[in-house]
Amino acid sequence: MANAVTEYANNAVPGSVTEGRLSINVGSQVIAKAVQRAVDAAPAKAIEAAGGQAGLTEIVFRKLNLDHDANEHNTLAPVIASLPATAR
């Protein structure tokens, strides 16, 4: 599931590339889009198995080829903070 939603988000977010590195801004958008796709299309048990939305967010973050200046604080944390409180 994580691979599928990451691939979907890479194709859906303008400025995203499959080859090369993603900027902090585009990386955060890809993560958010991937998690939203999972919420919309994946069975709840699959999301739960990934550690919920916050866990899936971390998995997608680790799958991306991000710029060297992208890290958990400036790329991942804003996406987690934007999740509904019940999903964190």
Side-chain angles (χ1 to χ4, degrees), residues 8-58:
Y8 168 85
N10 262 326
N11 291 323
V13 172
S16 182
V17 293
T18 54
E19 299 294 325
R21 297 187 178 274
L22 300 177
S23 68
I24 293 167
N25 185 39
V26 172
S28 291
Q29 291 177 43
V30 169
I31 295 166
K33 180 66 92 176
V35 172
Q36 187 59 54
R37 176 64 174 175
V39 168
D40 292 345
K45 288 188 180 231
I47 296 170
E48 184 180 317
Q53 290 182 40
L56 180 58
T57 301
E58 292 179 24

Side-chain angles (χ1 to χ4, degrees), residues 31-83:
I31 295 166
K33 180 66 92 176
V35 172
Q36 187 59 54
R37 176 64 174 175
V39 168
D40 292 345
K45 288 188 180 231
I47 296 170
E48 184 180 317
Q53 290 182 40
L56 180 58
T57 301
E58 292 179 24
I59 293 168
V60 173
F61 169 78
R62 295 193 188 334
K63 290 185 165 299
L64 297 177
N65 187 16
L66 298 164
D67 282 341
H68 294 294
D69 56 344
N71 58 50
E72 290 181 3
H73 299 290
N74 63 18
T75 307
L76 177 62
V79 179
I80 291 176
S82 72
L83 293 174

